[in-house]
Amino acid sequence: MKTDILTSYGDFAHDISEVIISEQQIQTRVKEIGAQISTDYHGKCPVLVGVLKGVLFYMADLLRVITIPSEVDFLAVSSYSNEARNKGVVRLVKDLEIPIQNRHVLFVEDVIDTGLTLNYLLRSLREREPASLEVCVLFNKPRRRLIDIPLKYKGFDLPDRFVVGYGLDHQERYRNLPFIGLLKPEAFQNPNHLRECG
Ligand code: IMP
Ligand code: MG
């Protein structure tokens, strides 16, 4: 997509050098994944679990195209030191409210990069003895994977580039762009949105 037609997205658009996955492509793929989940989990009332905040948009869109009864819950994490982060160790700052023992749990992720964080969280959920535990990721960065994690549902493979939009942020901005885009190099230093947001 040419960036000159991005202006309808507001000032953010000036910081985007290229759209690599369009809004239409995302919505089409999310519908396909939702239909597959509805078939696979028929009669199982899955609990969809996401980690705040990046998964917000994907979770909302996915839930709306799932046609079977399901429940949703969220975890929130914060990183410890750099060293702890490199091992994937995170601190749980918000736990699930739904008990997941004997439930079919679908871990919904916006993006998997190294896989360290996800691996740590999956281990912690497995200890609660769910009936099943599977991963449903929208954006996968296979080149950077350090830990092999089976992905039951996968939306798109992404190149090993830093991207924003559809929940993914740079310093808490750009999450609300409905597509996946690359940031211009200067946007890391002097983003347009800071003129307004301070
Ligand atoms: P990892 O899989 O443990 O390396 O961590 C994945 C996390 O890194 C995601 O949940 C995102 O918060 C963040 N992340 C990875 N790649 C990107 C990106 O391209 N843009 C924005 N955030 C990203
Ligand atoms: Mg995430």
Side-chain angles (χ1 to χ4, degrees):
M1 196 194 287
K2 282 263 174 54
T3 49
D4 52 355
I5 60 168
L6 290 175
T7 42
S8 61
Y9 296 105
D11 268 1
F12 287 128
H14 301 298
D15 294 338
I16 302 295
S17 63
E18 194 186 331
V19 173
I20 58 173
I21 305 179
S22 71
E23 177 175 11
Q24 189 58 53
Q25 285 174 293
I26 293 174
Q27 293 303 329
T28 301
R29 191 74 190 106
V30 171
K31 280 198 190 92
E32 289 168 357
I33 295 171
Q36 193 60 54
I37 291 171
S38 305
T39 302
D40 296 348
Y41 285 85
H42 186 79
K44 291 184 171 170
C45 190
V47 185
L48 277 67
V49 169
V51 183
L52 295 172
K53 297 176 264 191
V55 81
L56 184 63
F57 297 83
Y58 180 34
M59 186 68 96
D61 286 343
L62 187 61
L63 282 170
R64 283 181 287 191
V65 292
I66 288 179
T67 54
I68 56 167
S70 63
E71 296 177 11
V72 61
D73 208 345
F74 294 98
L75 296 167
V77 299
S78 84
S79 301
Y80 288 110
S81 60
N82 269 347
E83 194 196 341
R85 190 182 311 152
N86 289 340
K87 294 183 188 142
V89 178
V90 290
R91 187 164 61 92
L92 219 56
V93 295
K94 185 210 168 298
D95 202 349
L96 298 178
E97 287 162 24
I98 299 174
I100 59 164
Q101 192 175 29
N102 299 324
R103 297 294 306 270
H104 292 281
V105 176
L106 193 52
F107 200 105
V108 180
E109 261 287 39
D110 45 355
V111 60
I112 306 180
D113 193 13
T114 63
L116 288 169
T117 322
L118 177 60
N119 186 56
Y120 180 83
L121 292 172
L122 287 175
R123 256 190 288 149
S124 133
L125 294 187
R126 219 169 272 128
E127 284 169 10
R128 305 179 197 189
E129 302 177 328
S132 66
L133 179 60
E134 301 285 356
V135 177
C136 172
V137 63
L138 188 56
F139 304 116
N140 180 40
K141 290 185 170 174
R143 300 271 285 282
R144 302 240 314 161
R145 192 63 37 79
L146 295 176
I147 296 177
D148 185 36
I149 300 173
L151 308 176
K152 186 166 169 109
Y153 307 97
K154 186 183 73 174
F156 301 90
D157 280 333
L158 286 185
D160 181 17
R161 303 281 298 270
F162 187 84
V163 295
V164 294
Y166 204 69
L168 302 182
D169 70 306
H170 172 59
Q171 296 181 351
E172 295 299 328
R173 311 287 193 228
Y174 310 105
R175 291 190 198 276
N176 53 331
L177 291 172
F179 51 78
I180 287 289
L182 298 176
L183 279 181
K184 291 177 186 166
E186 60 267 31
F188 290 96
Q189 261 70 52
N190 181 27
N192 273 291
H193 64 76
L194 289 186
R195 284 184 212 137
E196 279 178 27
C197 300

